[in-house]
Amino acid sequence: MAKRRFLLINPWIYDFAAHDFWAKPLGLLYIASWLRKNGAEVYLLDCLDIHHPQMPFEPHIKQASRRAYGTGKFFRQPIPKPVFFQDIPRYYYRYGLTYRIFKEELDKIPIPDAILVTSGMTYWYPGVFAVIYFCKQKWPHIPIILGGIYATLCHSHALNYSGADFVLKGPAENSLMSLLEQICNLKPEYIPKMEYDPYAPYPAFDLLRKLDYVCILTSRGCPFRCQYCASSALFPFFYQRPPETVYQEIVYWHKNYGVKEFAFYDDALLVNASQHAIPLFEMIIKAKLDIHLHTPNGLHARFITAKVAQKMFQAGVKTVRLGLETISPNRHDQKLTREEFIRAIRYLQEAGFTREQIGAYILVGLPNQTKQEIEQTVSFAQKLGVTPRLAEYSPIPFTKLWSEAIKICSHEIDKEPLFHNNSLLPCAHKNLSFSELKEIKRKIWHTSCI
Ligand code: SF4
């Protein structure tokens, strides 16, 4: 039987702001590796490619740039704002390749048996729709399968409006291979599992044009259920890989591709640390690997012990992000106490981490959250000697806070995913204006420069 051929596409981001903080389509790269393991020919078109050689010469483009540890800015073009956003005093951008280059790239790819499109934040769907539109124009009869976060959390919206032939909900392990068997006659010998699988291939990072960093998943899912988070809707289970296999994956990318920067994509990296994260860090220390580790998804401060902090530091962790969220005692499901956070910071500082390396994620724009609550949380973090990192709250379907968000938000967030955009402060109501938030950010910036 002829080799099956698949085109996998990582769409554009349409937003007020987007940065490449170790942002790669990890799920799509895993799917690419499953398909290759099943003998298929796989093409990747990454709309967020920051190394495309022609992009710097495109007209009306703001240039991509690289900063520390492989992070940086995407290429971007200012575009007209959706009609609902006319009053928002910010530019709106399409991040990634120009349409012209996208179409040129599409022309280079031989006709595939199916096109798989991933999706990220719910309010980025215009980028997904644009990809589907261009693919349908070029190959009207090739099936397009849409999956990912938006497709899962706003499933009916995607079914009704995306133009995809199939919209998959939840983890791809569930249904993708059987769908491809049905529609493309793929005969998969390798079927991905919803649990740890020693035969699972590494995600196909080699399909990217250049590797500034690699994202690593040491576990899948999260045992916690924070009110604002949709992790369990995206993957309802939790499992951890044996640390030895994670170590081998890191060594593979480091030795074969010269990768030095690694970002953990785990939701709960430090759970069961004595059996999981600590042995992994110890293997890296013992091998004296010259690598940097980063934790952009945030760590649970409760699990940072003196030993964990020391091993993190010795293994080469350079960026520590902790979920502080808020210090208001009324808001939490008691995920974290102030004392636990203070203790974690002390351990991290004793291990050698600096103020610049330790960032505390603070949520802003939560339903009924006051400006004072945010300022108090910022001040609490600063007094401890860590850098506050403000994270605007986005209301997300299937979270515990969703029904409260629907009540409080003046936009129809249950009908239009664009209103989930955190830059709109959709649930801040009258408690926090854009100018007040800007002022809080200015003060943080000013303090961190002193
Ligand atoms: S915020 Fe983090 S710890 Fe909480 S449920 Fe989501 S992934 Fe888990």
Side-chain angles (χ1 to χ4, degrees):
M1 190 194 296
K3 227 178 185 188
R4 293 286 166 243
R5 181 183 299 138
F6 298 102
L7 168 59
L8 276 56
I9 306 186
N10 184 33
W12 292 280
I13 293 173
Y14 282 53
D15 204 340
F16 296 99
H19 297 278
D20 179 7
F21 286 133
W22 303 288
K24 287 284 175 272
L26 186 57
L28 198 66
L29 298 178
Y30 266 111
I31 289 172
S33 67
W34 302 339
L35 293 171
R36 287 201 302 203
K37 199 169 164 99
N38 279 312
E41 191 180 332
V42 176
Y43 290 82
L44 176 74
L45 209 170
D46 180 12
C47 293
L48 298 178
D49 181 0
I50 48 110
H51 292 296
H52 194 290
Q54 283 166 267
M55 273 301 293
F57 309 106
E58 286 292 279
H60 314 301
I61 274 290
K62 288 184 185 287
Q63 296 296 331
S65 60
R66 294 292 85 194
R67 287 196 209 147
Y69 304 135
T71 63
K73 291 186 176 181
F74 296 117
F75 289 107
R76 60 205 183 284
Q77 287 174 284
I79 54 169
K81 282 183 262 197
V83 63
F84 322 110
F85 298 163
Q86 293 310 317
D87 296 337
I88 307 295
R90 296 180 66 172
Y91 288 109
Y92 195 68
Y93 295 96
R94 176 173 50 245
Y95 291 86
L97 306 179
T98 55
Y99 279 169
R100 191 189 73 77
I101 289 188
F102 176 83
K103 287 193 211 168
E104 256 183 31
E105 289 298 316
L106 218 50
D107 286 342
K108 291 180 195 163
I109 294 165
I111 184 162
D113 291 290
I115 301 168
L116 281 65
V117 181
T118 189
S119 60
M121 304 301 255
T122 55
Y123 47 89
W124 291 346
Y125 76 80
V128 174
F129 286 16
V131 159
I132 294 171
Y133 171 78
F134 285 125
C135 290
K136 277 287 169 202
Q137 272 199 331
K138 184 167 174 59
W139 295 304
H141 304 298
I142 299 301
I144 299 183
I145 303 166
L146 172 61
I149 297 174
Y150 156 74
T152 298
L153 300 179
C154 299
H155 192 67
S156 317
H157 189 274
L159 278 173
N160 290 333
Y161 305 117
S162 69
D165 299 285
F166 303 91
V167 181
L168 299 185
K169 197 175 185 171
E173 290 92 330
N174 252 347
S175 47
L176 182 63
M177 289 302 165
S178 53
L179 178 64
L180 294 178
E181 194 169 0
Q182 262 175 48
I183 64 174
C184 305
N185 204 19
L186 179 80
K187 299 283 175 217
E189 283 174 16
Y190 173 74
I191 308 277
K193 296 189 172 64
M194 297 280 268
E195 61 210 29
Y196 168 64
D197 176 5
Y199 302 106
Y202 298 152
F205 272 93
D206 55 288
L207 289 175
L208 296 169
R209 198 179 299 274
K210 184 173 172 220
L211 286 181
D212 295 311
Y213 53 85
V214 156
C215 310
I216 293 281
L217 258 186
T218 79
S219 61
R220 191 117 147 80
C222 181
F224 305 104
R225 298 289 178 264
C226 300
Q227 295 191 341
Y228 55 86
C229 177
S231 172
S232 60
L234 297 170
F235 191 81
F237 313 109
F238 177 65
Y239 71 78
Q240 294 177 306
R241 296 167 57 192
E244 172 69 26
T245 65
V246 181
Y247 169 73
Q248 282 163 357
E249 183 179 346
I250 289 174
V251 170
Y252 173 82
W253 294 115
H254 182 57
K255 299 269 189 246
N256 296 310
Y257 291 85
V259 176
K260 190 163 177 177
E261 311 299 331
F262 292 88
F264 290 113
Y265 262 30
D266 295 68
D267 285 337
L269 177 67
L270 298 182
V271 165
N272 185 28
S274 59
Q275 309 295 314
H276 186 67
I278 289 179
L280 170 63
F281 294 142
E282 283 175 339
M283 285 177 233
I284 294 170
I285 297 164
K286 192 169 168 207
K288 295 191 172 71
L289 292 185
D290 181 20
I291 58 172
H292 299 151
L293 305 170
H294 310 279
T295 63
N297 270 11
L299 301 173
H300 201 310
R302 181 178 292 166
F303 298 112
I304 296 191
T305 61
K307 185 169 181 183
V308 166
Q310 280 162 15
K311 298 293 177 191
M312 281 168 58
F313 189 81
Q314 291 163 3
V317 174
K318 296 292 174 197
T319 316
V320 182
R321 295 287 175 266
L322 302 170
L324 172 59
E325 296 154 18
T326 168
I327 55 167
S328 166
N330 308 325
R331 192 171 289 284
H332 273 265
D333 7 35
Q334 284 311 306
K335 177 181 161 191
L336 181 72
T337 64
R338 284 187 197 208
E339 292 68 36
E340 286 169 328
F341 192 80
I342 293 168
R343 197 173 54 222
I345 299 303
R346 198 181 70 236
Y347 290 145
L348 288 167
Q349 290 167 340
E350 284 170 2
F353 289 102
T354 63
R355 175 192 289 266
E356 291 69 36
Q357 288 180 303
I358 311 170
Y361 285 133
I362 295 173
L363 279 172
V364 302
L366 287 163
N368 300 314
Q369 188 183 34
T370 60
K371 186 180 160 217
Q372 287 71 23
E373 181 186 324
I374 299 165
E375 286 174 333
Q376 283 166 2
T377 310
V378 166
S379 159
F380 172 75
Q382 286 177 324
K383 280 185 191 144
L384 288 174
V386 305
T387 306
R389 303 264 166 190
L390 299 189
E392 287 96 341
Y393 165 70
S394 164
I396 306 176
F398 301 103
T399 58
K400 288 189 199 161
L401 271 185
W402 177 242
S403 50
E404 198 181 329
I406 290 176
K407 277 188 225 146
I408 211 164
C409 186
S410 49
H411 306 297
E412 291 189 305
I413 54 172
D414 50 341
K415 298 203 171 62
E416 176 48 73
L418 285 176
F419 293 136
H420 305 171
N421 193 316
N422 60 353
S423 295
L424 304 174
L425 297 174
C427 295
H429 211 38
K430 294 191 176 65
N431 290 326
L432 183 71
S433 67
F434 293 119
S435 53
E436 285 171 326
L437 178 59
K438 209 169 165 185
E439 180 58 19
I440 296 172
K441 285 184 178 172
R442 196 193 60 75
K443 279 190 199 159
I444 292 174
W445 184 82
H446 181 70
T447 320
S448 61
C449 291
I450 292 172

